[in-house]
Amino acid sequence: MGNFCSVCYPHRSPDKNRPTSLPYPESSGLLQAQNDVSGPVHIAMVGNSQAHISGSTSQSHLAITKSETFALLGNHGNPPPGTSSSLKSEKRSLASKLSGTLNRSNSESRAYSESKITSLFEKYKDEHEDNILSEGIEEFCIDLQLKPDEFKVLVLAWKFEAEQMCKFTRQEFVSGCKALKTDSCKGIQQKLPEVVIQILADPEKFKELYRFTYKFGLDCSSGQRILPVDMAVSLWLLVFSQSELPLLKKWLHFLEKHPQVRGIPRDTWNMFLNFTTTVGSDLSQYDDTEAWPSLFDDFVEFENDQLNQNSSTMQDLNRESSSSPSS
C-alpha cells in the first residue's frame, strides 16, 4: 500500500460572608433547629455558631442524616435517644463522605489545564494558519512515540473528532485533550491504551470508530463523497488491525482481482461490518434475498467460483494419483 498514514495520508468566587472553615448547609447536613420549614430556617452549626437562612427550605435539601449531624457535632448537640452507641461510626462515615467528595473535586480540577493544552497546540500548529498540518502531526506522533499508521493514531483522531486527515483544528485538538482529560503528550500516551481497550471490548464503540474511519478518509477539500478503493483497502487493514477477521483477506483479494471497482460508497463501507458478522467466515450464512449491496453479491459469487475451482483441482489430482501405476 506504500507509506500510509492514518492521520496524514500522502496527498502531499465563593461568598465571603459564609464561614470558610465550615461546609455549606446544603451539603453538610447541618441540623435544622425548628420544625417549621415554610419560613426562616435556623441551622445549628459546629461550635454553637448559628446562621440564619431566609426563604423556603425543604428537609430533602439536607443530604446527610440527623444522626450523622449529631456525630459531627459531638458533645455540642443533644442526639435523640438510642443514637449514642452509633455516634463514632456515624462520625467516621460522615468524615469519609466529605473527604471523598473533596478528593474527587480536587482530582477533577487538577486533571488538565486548558492553558497547557493551548500551549501544546501552539507547539505543533502551522506557521501560516491556525491548524496543525502534516508536518506538525508528524512531530506530534514522534513525541507520542507512535508511528503514523498505528491503530492508536486512528483512535486519537476519533477522540479528537477530526474532520479530515492531515489536519487538527484548534477546536478539535483542545476538545480532544479535554475528552481524554489530559494536557500533555505523556498523558495522551497513558490514556490511549485505555481507550483502545474500551473500543475493542464494546462492539458499539468499535462501530462508531469504524464509521468515523470512512469519513476521516475522504478528501473534504475536494468534496469527495466516495472513498477511492486503494484508500478503503488501507483503512480496512488499519481499523481491523487489532482484531482477527478471516473474511477480510478474502474480501481484499476480491477487490484486487476486480480493478474495475474504483470506489467504495459509504453504505457499502458501513454494511461490510454487518456483513462480516452475519454471513460467517465461510459465507455459509449468506442469504441472497437479503438487501446487501450488489458488490457483496459479486464477492460471494467470486468466492463460490474459487471454491468450486479448488474442489475440481483436488478431484483431478486425486484421480491422477489413483490412476498412476504403483512402483
Side-chain angles (χ1 to χ4, degrees):
M1 293 302 157
N3 294 326
F4 171 71
C5 168
S6 61
V7 168
C8 188
Y9 185 77
H11 293 298
R12 302 224 178 188
S13 116
D15 185 356
K16 295 182 179 180
N17 295 325
R18 194 189 300 271
T20 57
S21 62
L22 300 175
Y24 289 173
E26 294 85 348
S27 60
S28 66
L30 298 175
L31 178 62
Q32 182 175 325
Q34 296 183 3
N35 294 328
D36 183 10
V37 296
S38 61
V41 177
H42 296 277
I43 304 296
M45 293 188 177
V46 177
N48 292 331
S49 299
Q50 290 187 340
H52 185 79
I53 301 178
S54 60
S56 177
T57 309
S58 169
Q59 192 76 9
S60 63
H61 290 168
L62 303 180
I64 303 175
T65 64
K66 287 185 178 181
S67 58
E68 288 175 330
T69 303
F70 281 115
L72 178 64
L73 293 175
N75 294 329
H76 293 285
N78 296 319
T83 61
S84 58
S85 61
S86 61
L87 284 179
K88 290 185 179 180
S89 61
E90 294 283 6
K91 191 172 184 178
R92 286 194 297 267
S93 174
L94 176 60
S96 177
K97 288 180 182 179
L98 294 177
S99 175
T101 301
L102 290 174
N103 288 339
R104 283 194 301 271
S105 299
N106 292 337
S107 176
E108 290 175 0
S109 65
R110 293 194 301 267
Y112 61 85
S113 163
E114 186 164 348
S115 62
K116 289 183 179 180
I117 296 175
T118 300
S119 298
L120 192 63
F121 175 83
E122 295 289 340
K123 178 181 178 180
Y124 303 112
K125 88 176 187 71
D126 188 73
E127 294 181 359
H128 306 292
E129 60 179 276
D130 196 35
N131 297 302
I132 299 176
L133 302 181
S134 56
E135 290 184 5
I137 291 174
E138 184 178 357
E139 184 182 351
F140 187 36
C141 288
I142 291 173
D143 290 345
L144 292 174
Q145 298 180 345
L146 294 174
K147 296 178 181 179
D149 60 351
E150 280 192 52
F151 182 74
K152 288 180 182 177
V153 179
L154 177 65
V155 171
L156 182 64
W158 174 63
K159 290 298 290 185
F160 281 16
E161 298 183 0
E163 288 290 327
Q164 64 183 80
M165 291 183 179
C166 309
K167 182 177 179 180
F168 285 146
T169 67
R170 179 181 292 271
Q171 181 179 353
E172 289 169 354
F173 190 89
V174 173
S175 299
C177 286
K178 286 182 177 180
L180 290 171
K181 292 183 171 56
T182 187
D183 54 21
S184 66
C185 286
K186 183 177 180 181
I188 294 174
Q189 286 177 304
Q190 293 174 343
K191 294 286 186 178
L192 276 179
E194 299 174 9
V195 180
V196 170
I197 291 173
Q198 292 172 3
I199 290 172
L200 297 180
D202 187 340
E204 285 302 315
K205 285 189 180 296
F206 182 81
K207 185 177 180 179
E208 290 178 18
L209 174 68
Y210 178 81
R211 294 196 169 194
F212 161 83
T213 303
Y214 184 89
K215 181 181 178 182
F216 184 60
L218 294 173
D219 183 4
C220 299
S221 61
S222 64
Q224 194 175 63
R225 300 175 64 88
I226 295 179
L227 204 59
V229 69
D230 58 340
M231 172 66 83
V233 168
S234 297
L235 290 175
W236 266 315
L237 288 170
L238 177 63
V239 76
F240 288 115
S241 62
Q242 304 299 303
S243 56
E244 185 86 19
L245 190 66
L247 197 61
L248 181 62
K249 290 183 179 180
K250 297 177 180 179
W251 170 248
L252 299 184
H253 176 68
F254 162 75
L255 293 176
E256 182 182 356
K257 293 297 183 180
H258 292 76
Q260 68 272 21
V261 180
R262 298 187 178 184
I264 304 296
R266 184 187 296 269
D267 287 346
T268 301
W269 174 277
N270 289 343
M271 293 185 73
F272 180 73
L273 185 60
N274 298 334
F275 181 76
T276 59
T277 58
T278 300
V279 302
S281 59
D282 58 356
L283 301 175
S284 60
Q285 303 300 314
Y286 176 75
D287 184 355
D288 58 6
T289 63
E290 294 282 346
W292 297 114
S294 59
L295 194 59
F296 293 173
D297 297 329
D298 296 339
F299 167 59
V300 173
E301 183 178 351
F302 173 80
E303 281 299 308
N304 288 336
D305 290 344
Q306 293 289 306
L307 185 62
N308 292 335
Q309 289 177 11
N310 291 338
S311 177
S312 298
T313 301
M314 289 300 298
Q315 290 176 4
D316 293 340
L317 290 174
N318 289 335
R319 281 196 296 268
E320 289 177 3
S321 176
S322 61
S323 61
S324 61
S326 57
S327 54

